[in-house]
Amino acid sequence: MATRNPLNLGAAARAMSNFGFLRLRVVNPYRAAFREARSAVGSAELLAHAAEYRSVAEAVADCALVVGTTAAGHRDLQHPLRRLEQGARAIRKQLGAGRVALIFGSEKRGLSNQDLSHCNWLLRIPTREEHISMNLGQAVAVCLYEIVRDTKADAQREKLLLATAGEVERITATLLDALRASGYLNPGAAASAEEKVRRLVRRLNLRAGDSEVWLGMLRQILWKLRSEQ
């Protein structure tokens, strides 16, 4: 997310190739030259085919689980926060049931609250308090190693398909429209209110088969509210 140093993206691509993760998605990279990063040893093709997006919402639209990474520090987080070893187990279980997105922020600022609002929960590497931040390439390598190191978990992957982030976002948008139409939210509600609703919907962990039902119900409620105005 808004990575500033092309070499860091190259190192991240190399780590992905090392551990068998071949889908790199970048959001608003600082420089277009990242595709030529010399640090992407053995993974130039992965880097060359990285998909670019303008927003986190677009980048994770087809993912059933979205996990943000953070050093935490003194931030007032609004999501469940898991240590790497615990989070890796949860990610392994989901890998067989749908796409998983692991989001890393920029080297300078990390992920914003708006970015985090698209996440189901957050992950942190247990670094020492005196030096909590890590280089992007190193952080990617550590996280991916932890995810793949326990091969016994493969047999325990969940078969239940969850709704993708895109489906959840459509439900969220329709719910927000209904909340405005009902007067629960003001038309000019602060972004923080919308982020709170988005986090609430994501905590429901909706199943893929249920997402259309929820969307249909909310659309009917919204239609009824508007027809009575």
Side-chain angles (χ1 to χ4, degrees), residues 25 27 52-63 118 165-166 169:
R25 300 179 180 186
V27 179
E52 289 190 55
Y53 296 87
R54 293 175 298 177
S55 68
V56 171
E58 293 177 359
V60 303
D62 61 344
C63 298
H118 293 279
E169 186 63 19

Side-chain angles (χ1 to χ4, degrees), residues 59-125:
V60 303
D62 61 344
C63 298
L65 175 63
V66 182
V67 179
T69 57
T70 179
H74 300 293
R75 293 184 67 172
D76 182 19
L77 300 174
Q78 303 298 319
H79 292 71
L81 178 63
R82 300 179 180 180
R83 279 172 57 105
L84 177 57
E85 61 271 28
Q86 178 192 16
R89 287 194 295 270
I91 290 173
R92 281 195 297 267
K93 290 180 180 180
Q94 179 58 33
L95 284 174
R99 287 183 175 173
V100 176
L102 186 57
I103 307 178
F104 296 84
S106 71
E107 303 93 329
K108 190 173 183 180
R109 297 186 177 87
L111 295 171
S112 68
N113 288 335
Q114 173 66 22
D115 299 330
L116 294 178
S117 73
H118 293 279
C119 299
N120 296 90
W121 44 269
L122 306 180
L123 182 72
R124 69 174 291 268
I125 298 172

Side-chain angles (χ1 to χ4, degrees), residues 86-221:
Q86 178 192 16
R89 287 194 295 270
I91 290 173
R92 281 195 297 267
K93 290 180 180 180
Q94 179 58 33
L95 284 174
R99 287 183 175 173
V100 176
L102 186 57
I103 307 178
F104 296 84
S106 71
E107 303 93 329
K108 190 173 183 180
R109 297 186 177 87
L111 295 171
S112 68
N113 288 335
Q114 173 66 22
D115 299 330
L116 294 178
S117 73
H118 293 279
C119 299
N120 296 90
W121 44 269
L122 306 180
L123 182 72
R124 69 174 291 268
I125 298 172
T127 52
R128 68 189 183 100
E129 292 298 321
E130 293 81 3
H131 193 183
I132 61 175
S133 65
M134 292 184 68
N135 170 272
L136 176 62
Q138 293 174 331
V140 171
V142 169
C143 289
L144 298 186
Y145 167 74
E146 185 66 26
I147 290 171
V148 303
R149 74 180 180 88
D150 188 358
T151 55
K152 292 181 180 180
D154 290 345
Q156 301 173 356
R157 289 177 178 170
E158 294 180 353
K159 301 300 181 181
L160 180 64
L161 290 176
L162 297 179
T164 66
E167 292 168 334
V168 174
E169 186 63 19
R170 284 192 291 274
I171 292 171
T172 302
T174 307
L175 175 58
L176 286 169
D177 286 342
L179 293 175
R180 293 188 191 99
S182 68
Y184 185 86
L185 285 181
N186 295 325
S192 59
E194 295 187 4
E195 292 168 7
K196 184 176 181 179
V197 171
R198 183 177 288 110
R199 291 193 297 267
L200 176 64
V201 175
R202 286 193 173 279
R203 286 199 296 270
L204 296 176
N205 291 322
L206 295 173
R207 300 182 184 183
D210 293 340
S211 61
E212 287 301 318
V213 177
W214 277 101
L215 191 57
M217 290 191 296
L218 289 171
R219 283 173 174 167
Q220 180 65 24
I221 292 171

